[in-house]
Amino acid sequence: MADIIQLLPDHVANQIAAGEVVQRPASVVKELLENAIDAGATTIKLIIKDAGKTLVQVIDDGKGMSATDARLSFERHATSKIRSAEDLFLLNTKGFRGEALASIAAIAHVELRTKQETDDVGTGIAIEGSKVVAQEVVVTPTGTSISVKNLFFNIPARRNFLKSDNVELRHVLDEFHRVALAHPDIHFAMYNNGSETFNLPVGNYRQRIVNIFGTRTNEKLVPVEEDTEVLKVSGFVGKPEFAKKTRNEQYFFVNDRFIKSAYLNHAINAAFDGLLKNGTNPSYFLKLTVDPQSIDINIHPTKTEIKFDDEHTLYALLRSAVKHSLGQFNIAPVLDFDRDASLDTPYELEKKPVKNPTIEVDRDYNPFKEEVNSIVRAIAQKSDQAVSWDSLSRDLGVGISDNDIYKKANSEFIPSPESELKHVYHEEQTEQEEEYEDEETYEETNPQTEFVSPQPQNFNHIKFEAEEETMSAFTEENKVEQKQTTYQLHNKYIVSTIKSGMLLIDQNKAHQRILYEKFLRNMTVKEAVSQQLLFPLQLHFSNQEMQVIRDLKNDLEQTGFIFAKIQAGLVEITGVPVSVPESEVSIILEQLISDVENEVPDSSFSATDLMAKSMAKSLAIKTGQALEKEEQEHLVNQLFACKEPSVSPANRTTFITMTVDELDKKFI
């Protein structure tokens, strides 16, 4: 039997390896930036065109390579990072496998120009599909410049699987952010299609975060510092009120290498337990420093997964460090019965110098003057409260004549012109009236005032406000009983009756369909109605998010948004759609940006359709929200007025029907 196993050619092996190392243009960006950092560069420039599909170029001022090293760097398993297997557990560099450049050269057109500081001239190499096309002496500055053009030119299937420029650009930016955040001591610059996207000067870690994610980020950060024998933690976490629905601002760096760890992410979420709203994620930018011998990086080709010797200890330390920072800066509530909060020194006064207290004397203070005033007030109050025995007996009903009862009844319940006149007279002659005991004495002393003789009064007709009577326009016989045709089940489903049986509607998905068609109609058929805000709403976004908003500005204006200002990191909104509450605007825009960045384009893709889906998803009635009977019926009627009531914008079922026969079978 003939032998069937054979050794693959180098160019085929390189293409196979490239499938693991180079998945998209962002993979090329990551490998080239890490090589520049390992070369000791202090300034790194990244230039891309068409989201990296046409060009990815990295220019650095590192130590460069000799002619021999430049040629050898494109061979498989050729590296300067390690010498033996033991070096895998003592890594202080980004790369170590020696596969990146060989894999990239196998699927693209690569041009390399490099020069060492001690050399007068440099070396230029051109490679196409693992074949060296040219190698010559060139004039170039110290450092390395490598250009990768026409990615996947010889693998059209892989190139067709690449997503839209917006999606690929987002992945490139993610890789750029990860490398730039890990090394704030290096000057980074990025250019996209000829325009400058980022220019990050050398600074501290906080400045680098603010320069990437916008100036508003500075007030969101809470510092985290913890140093133990096992782990050293430094960095920042975001305040709970600024938590987002997306995970775009979550970064772990282990020994200056970006990693992904669901286990450590759970430790951060545990530290924020009880402080976040449902569906939101905390932001964090944390650097972890551990012993290189306690971790294994050689797990995945992308080197973003790491195995730790003792994950449980790291989990506990990380969780405690974050909780301590949240409590130290009064982000999380602290329960301490022995602590007197009034004795705490304010944070802004801790570093101020202590001064001796000054004594101030009020030389105009006169305690006797104040005492005299209080005595006068006390005497006046006492005279006002003095009551004679006659008036007291009159109030108690002792020795009261009919005239007194008549005067009291008229003055309190049935005022008349005569009683009003007597009331005024009584006020003017209060002291004299107390001396009169009967009608004759009163007339002799005051002959000019005509006394009105009392009339017998009936107090049964006196009414008070508490005795209000309400009348019904309909009698009990004419009442029409309204039957409820819809019911809400667990604040999630709406149950309605139909002729053949029962209808069960998912309120969230149904409302998404209603809003989706409404927004789509506003953006394509008619002009939307806006409501003006009393005060302009100012929102802050990163440079990457601002670019998405600029691209969608026209579509957003057709839905009812009115933008007064769009500038670096700031969006000012003066009008919103009628159906959108002001408090939901930032949530809607964040969700929209996330959907646009993660959307996979197909034949029916359009920005208008995507925006209508995103806004409908953000504003739809949530699961668990109670609805009144009228709201339930209105939702059902609106759903079946839609063009496609059976599915949501995400092609999920909105309702199901169950006939009487199907119900009968359940009881067999």
Side-chain angles (χ1 to χ4, degrees), residues 377 481 516 529:
R377 285 197 299 269
E481 184 179 357
Y516 168 71
V529 180

Side-chain angles (χ1 to χ4, degrees), residues 88-103:
L88 290 174
F89 298 97
L90 297 172
L91 288 174
N92 294 314
T93 57
K94 303 292 184 182
F96 54 87
R97 289 199 182 101
E99 293 181 339
L101 290 181
S103 300

Side-chain angles (χ1 to χ4, degrees), residues 284-350:
Y284 53 82
F285 311 88
L286 296 175
K287 287 187 173 184
L288 312 180
T289 304
V290 298
D291 186 1
Q293 296 183 355
S294 65
I295 59 176
D296 185 5
I297 305 173
N298 193 22
I299 302 298
H300 193 271
T302 59
K303 300 187 282 288
T304 57
E305 297 181 9
I306 291 182
K307 291 293 184 181
F308 298 94
D309 284 350
D310 190 358
E311 286 186 333
H312 299 287
T313 302
L314 298 182
Y315 182 98
L317 291 175
L318 187 60
R319 178 176 175 270
S320 299
V322 174
K323 285 187 70 70
H324 176 70
S325 294
L326 293 176
Q328 181 181 7
F329 292 94
N330 295 328
I331 305 301
V334 179
L335 186 61
D336 188 357
F337 296 102
D338 297 330
R339 171 176 166 270
D340 188 356
S342 61
L343 300 179
D344 291 346
T345 303
Y347 182 73
E348 62 274 6
L349 299 179
E350 285 185 350

Side-chain angles (χ1 to χ4, degrees), residues 64 207 324 383 495 597:
Q207 291 171 341
H324 176 70
S383 62
V495 183
E597 291 177 343

Side-chain angles (χ1 to χ4, degrees), residues 412-544:
E412 293 186 5
F413 301 106
I414 313 175
S416 62
E418 293 83 4
S419 62
E420 290 178 2
L421 179 61
K422 289 190 292 181
H423 182 66
V424 173
Y425 182 81
H426 291 332
E427 290 181 350
E428 295 177 353
Q429 305 292 336
T430 303
E431 296 180 357
Q432 296 181 10
E433 288 178 5
E434 290 180 354
E435 300 176 0
Y436 303 140
E437 297 179 356
D438 52 14
E439 178 182 346
E440 290 77 13
T441 309
Y442 184 88
E443 291 179 351
E444 291 176 2
T445 312
N446 302 278
Q448 71 278 8
T449 304
E450 182 181 357
F451 186 84
V452 181
S453 60
Q455 300 293 334
Q457 299 293 329
N458 185 8
F459 297 98
N460 295 330
H461 68 282
I462 299 175
K463 295 183 178 181
F464 301 92
E465 291 185 1
E467 298 177 359
E468 181 180 356
E469 296 181 3
T470 57
M471 299 294 292
S472 176
F474 304 97
T475 60
E476 293 293 331
E477 293 128 355
N478 296 334
K479 269 189 183 175
V480 179
E481 184 179 357
Q482 294 183 354
K483 295 183 178 180
Q484 186 172 354
T485 58
T486 60
Y487 302 90
Q488 193 175 21
L489 182 64
H490 296 298
N491 291 341
K492 183 176 182 181
Y493 300 104
I494 296 177
V495 183
S496 181
T497 57
I498 54 177
K499 291 183 179 180
S500 60
M502 182 177 65
L503 188 70
L504 190 63
I505 302 173
D506 188 312
Q507 65 183 31
N508 177 260
K509 295 181 177 62
H511 200 214
Q512 284 188 36
R513 163 55 62 176
I514 296 169
L515 295 177
Y516 168 71
E517 294 196 2
K518 175 183 177 182
F519 291 136
L520 204 60
R521 189 165 52 249
N522 290 341
M523 288 185 283
T524 57
V525 179
K526 63 179 182 179
E527 185 177 355
V529 180
S530 300
Q531 57 179 351
Q532 296 294 320
L533 299 178
L534 183 60
F535 300 101
L537 182 63
Q538 292 185 348
L539 303 176
H540 296 265
F541 297 97
S542 63
N543 295 338
Q544 180 181 350

Side-chain angles (χ1 to χ4, degrees), residues 45 152 240 337 548 608 628:
K45 292 182 181 179
F152 299 123
F337 296 102
V548 176
T608 303
E628 299 293 338

